Amino acid sequence: MASAPIAPYNSSPLENSSSPNASRESLKMEPLADVAMLPGEERVIDKDIIYICPFNAAVKGKVFITNYRLYFKNTDSETPVILDVPLGVISRVEKMGGASSRGENSYGLEITCKDMRNLRFALKQEGHSRRDIFEIIFKYAFPLSHGMVLSWFHKENHAVITRCSQPLVGMSGKRNKDDERYLDLIREANGTTKLTIYDARPNVNAVANKATGGGYEGDDAYQNAELVFLDIHNIHVMRESLKKLKDIVYPSVEESHWLSSLESTHWLEHIKLVLSGAIQVADKVSSGSSVMVHCSDGWDRTAQLTSLAMLMLDSYYRTFRGFQVLLEKEWISFGHKFASRIGHGDKNHADQDRSPIFVQFIDCVWQMTKQFPTAFEFNERLLVVILDHLYSCRFGSFLYNCESARESNNVRVKTVSLWSFVNRDTSLYINPFYTPESSRVLYPVASMRHLDLWVTYYIRWNPRIQHQQQSPVEQRYKELLALRDQYLKKLEELQLSDSAPSSTHLTNSSTPNVATPNQHITHLQTPF
């Protein structure tokens, strides 16, 4: 990991993600220290506190708690140290030390975040000074402490991607004639001899699921189907893998053992297996065979595989709008359990249902954008903003576990969609290198040699990394595009200024074949 001079620490990605124009037009501005409050946001408490910054040591300042965020700004130096943390990002709040604890800054709060950060604050020990702020954070951060479907159709060869959950065969080998006939009809629809069933689980896990009433498709019941296990591990393995990754990237990165430490997390190995499985699905469909995809329940690994396969097969989903449609369809509408996997508003940080399945999917998308830099209309910034608001609870897009829960809680009436936010200023999220190719199928290389850790997401809180996020090639390309626009604008001005006197002169002239300056200028080409 390359080092760079440490810059002022600013941990406010959500504030930086919106444009000034969008902020002025869409948000009601109210002062909270020097940050704009959102409509409906109210200040609950403010308190003098010490932030134990892992990069700048202990920093004195003031913390403000609203019903939406925790905001800290230092008061003891000219170098700004700012935290702007939506309360939905908080996974766990713990008291640090006790009334009799000794040592400087040993009494306070430790906050574990879902976005790779741990925050520590110290307070004075007398008078239970942390009780009120602990209770307020706890109250507002954890307010809850209280089939088979068609995914995609190939227009040319008529192959389809369908998804479901595991068959309920159990230890006794139960059968369902309607289910078996349904799969036969899918196979017959495009005239193939075998329907390929992709089971995302390792074989041993599928066998073990029989003991709890689940299982897999046996040869005797599904004679016209081919079953392929993809060896992708379950939500518990992925949760532990991300925990290990967090341990090696925050707050510091140990450069001397970086590669071995990264390997020990197995995070990139899991990314590889998910991508490899999606490639197999896409390749089978592209060759003209229909497929069925499932895992245990059909809303985790299944969504990863179908979404990635559709990105590879269909260029529409690689556009800015198409990607939004993909997330709405395959993840939100088809019932990925966002509330259970992320733990929105739930104080139970050790809940075994928590898992970074959606984060892992977005990581896979980023890997694809890196291997095919001109194939996607959206850029890395959109992916980061999506993950930031996955946790922030500022928008209703990722709330609750399913459509029925969102409907019964009037989410569409009470909240704003994330897409209305990002669509206000699309220029922030557009890839300048994008080249539309409607018929191209993408096959990324799912090899450890071609996969990288997503540094600008996982290690972005390190100030040494923050100033390395800007791609110099992309920045230079944007500068050239801006320069081109300036030249074209100047060209239009010249055309307008020359056209009026030229037309008057030609009207009085006896030489009609003389070309006007405007006629010459329109043939100029700008080489960008």
Side-chain angles (χ1 to χ4, degrees):
M1 308 297 293
S3 62
I6 293 182
Y9 181 60
N10 188 329
S11 179
S12 308
L14 302 185
E15 290 300 318
N16 296 335
S17 65
S18 59
S19 69
N21 291 337
S23 298
R24 284 194 296 269
E25 295 172 4
S26 61
L27 303 180
K28 298 177 182 177
M29 297 303 181
E30 299 178 14
L32 169 64
D34 49 3
V35 65
M37 294 177 65
L38 299 169
E41 185 176 5
E42 299 175 355
R43 187 169 66 183
V44 180
I45 191 175
D46 56 81
K47 203 175 191 71
D48 292 324
I49 205 167
I50 296 175
Y51 169 48
I52 313 300
C53 179
F55 312 112
N56 297 331
V59 181
K60 292 183 180 179
K62 184 177 285 287
V63 65
F64 298 85
I65 308 295
T66 74
N67 55 351
Y68 170 71
R69 79 182 85 199
L70 178 154
Y71 182 85
F72 170 88
K73 185 174 182 181
N74 64 316
T75 58
D76 63 347
S77 69
E78 295 182 358
T79 303
V81 178
I82 296 173
L83 292 171
D84 190 351
V85 184
L87 298 180
V89 172
I90 296 175
S91 172
R92 182 179 184 180
V93 183
E94 291 184 299
K95 295 178 180 178
M96 180 178 66
S100 60
S101 297
R102 297 183 178 181
E104 188 178 11
N105 300 328
S106 60
Y107 177 86
L109 299 175
E110 182 164 2
I111 299 175
T112 303
C113 297
K114 302 169 187 174
D115 62 0
M116 313 300 286
R117 288 179 289 179
N118 289 337
L119 309 175
R120 297 180 66 207
F121 295 98
L123 296 99
K124 296 179 181 180
Q125 289 178 266
E126 63 269 13
H128 302 287
S129 61
R130 68 183 174 190
R131 177 183 295 172
D132 54 354
I133 190 171
F134 174 82
E135 292 177 351
I136 286 170
I137 293 175
F138 209 89
K139 174 183 176 181
Y140 287 99
F142 310 122
L144 299 184
S145 55
H146 333 351
M148 188 184 300
V149 293
L150 174 67
S151 285
W152 191 76
F153 173 77
H154 198 297
K155 294 180 180 178
E156 296 177 5
N157 61 33
H158 299 168
V160 299
I161 299 175
T162 51
R163 54 182 288 183
C164 63
S165 59
Q166 65 181 333
L168 304 179
V169 298
M171 297 298 292
S172 60
K174 298 176 184 177
R175 295 181 60 172
N176 186 312
K177 295 296 183 181
D178 292 333
D179 187 64
E180 295 167 19
R181 178 56 183 157
Y182 191 16
L183 265 64
D184 254 348
L185 291 173
I186 295 173
R187 177 188 60 82
E188 293 170 0
N190 70 325
T192 53
T193 57
K194 289 278 187 178
L195 174 70
T196 305
I197 302 174
Y198 288 102
D199 191 325
R201 301 168 294 180
N203 189 350
V204 62
N205 291 23
V207 173
N209 284 153
K210 282 189 172 184
T212 57
Y216 56 92
E217 294 81 1
D219 294 335
D220 54 340
Y222 300 89
Q223 298 178 6
N224 295 319
E226 175 190 8
L227 181 62
V228 179
F229 291 101
L230 297 177
D231 297 323
I232 302 171
H233 290 284
N234 60 28
I235 62 172
H236 312 295
V237 174
M238 302 308 179
R239 180 180 61 249
E240 295 305 314
S241 179
L242 188 65
K243 283 183 180 178
K244 293 177 182 178
L245 178 61
K246 178 179 179 178
D247 289 341
I248 70 168
V249 301
Y250 190 87
S252 61
V253 176
E254 187 179 355
E255 298 183 23
S256 58
H257 301 94
W258 169 249
L259 292 178
S260 59
S261 298
L262 179 59
E263 183 182 11
S264 67
T265 69
H266 303 291
W267 182 254
L268 290 181
E269 292 179 31
H270 299 316
I271 296 292
K272 169 192 166 185
L273 288 171
V274 174
L275 277 173
S276 177
I279 291 169
Q280 292 183 58
V281 173
D283 186 54
K284 183 66 71 172
V285 173
S286 182
S287 66
S289 298
S290 294
V291 302
M292 172 78 72
V293 183
H294 71 73
C295 50
S296 297
D297 299 304
W299 48 55
D300 292 315
R301 289 165 285 188
T302 301
Q304 290 178 330
L305 293 168
T306 57
S307 302
L308 290 170
M310 291 160 66
L311 274 175
M312 297 172 193
L313 290 164
D314 196 333
S315 61
Y316 170 71
Y317 295 116
R318 303 196 287 266
T319 65
F320 181 71
R321 296 279 182 172
F323 189 63
Q324 298 173 37
V325 172
L326 180 69
L327 299 188
E328 281 285 339
K329 181 169 73 75
E330 290 297 302
W331 290 87
I332 298 172
S333 296
F334 282 171
H336 177 66
K337 299 174 68 174
F338 284 104
S340 297
R341 297 293 177 257
I342 306 303
H344 291 142
D346 187 355
K347 67 180 181 180
N348 186 10
H349 62 87
D351 188 345
Q352 292 299 298
D353 279 341
R354 303 280 180 91
S355 190
I357 298 300
F358 186 72
V359 175
Q360 192 176 53
F361 160 71
I362 295 293
D363 193 330
C364 290
V365 175
W366 178 81
Q367 301 288 346
M368 289 178 63
T369 63
K370 186 173 64 70
Q371 293 192 25
F372 301 97
T374 64
F376 293 83
E377 188 181 18
F378 53 88
N379 60 20
E380 178 186 47
R381 186 173 190 174
L382 177 66
L383 301 179
V384 173
V385 166
I386 288 172
L387 290 185
D388 279 339
H389 291 299
L390 170 69
Y391 298 124
S392 75
C393 299
R394 177 176 170 181
F395 303 99
S397 301
F398 303 123
L399 298 183
Y400 298 102
N401 281 334
C402 60
E403 280 294 286
S404 63
R406 284 185 281 273
E407 185 70 24
S408 62
N409 286 278
N410 292 323
V411 168
R412 287 181 176 83
V413 176
K414 296 179 180 178
T415 69
V416 178
S417 167
L418 170 61
W419 314 126
S420 64
F421 173 73
V422 299
N423 288 331
R424 286 197 186 106
D425 190 355
T426 59
S427 62
L428 294 172
Y429 312 107
I430 295 299
N431 172 20
F433 303 117
Y434 174 62
T435 305
E437 295 179 275
S438 59
S439 60
R440 184 185 181 190
V441 178
L442 304 183
Y443 291 112
V445 180
S447 163
M448 296 297 290
R449 292 181 298 130
H450 292 82
L451 300 179
D452 293 323
L453 181 69
W454 189 6
V455 171
T456 50
Y457 178 72
Y458 296 115
I459 318 184
R460 59 183 168 151
W461 307 117
N462 190 318
R464 295 184 183 275
I465 303 298
Q466 287 180 339
H467 288 274
Q468 301 173 25
Q469 294 183 10
Q470 186 72 52
S471 167
V473 177
E474 183 175 346
Q475 179 63 27
R476 181 56 180 158
Y477 191 81
K478 287 182 177 179
E479 291 172 357
L480 291 173
L481 289 176
L483 190 61
R484 182 196 66 177
D485 292 339
Q486 292 178 17
Y487 282 139
L488 291 175
K489 185 177 180 181
K490 187 67 175 177
L491 187 61
E492 291 177 4
E493 292 173 355
L494 288 172
Q495 289 175 335
L496 291 173
S497 63
D498 290 348
S499 60
S502 298
S503 59
T504 304
H505 173 74
L506 288 175
T507 303
N508 301 325
S509 174
S510 59
T511 314
N513 293 328
V514 178
T516 68
N518 185 46
Q519 289 172 311
H520 287 298
I521 290 173
T522 53
H523 293 287
L524 293 175
Q525 297 293 327
T526 307
F528 289 104

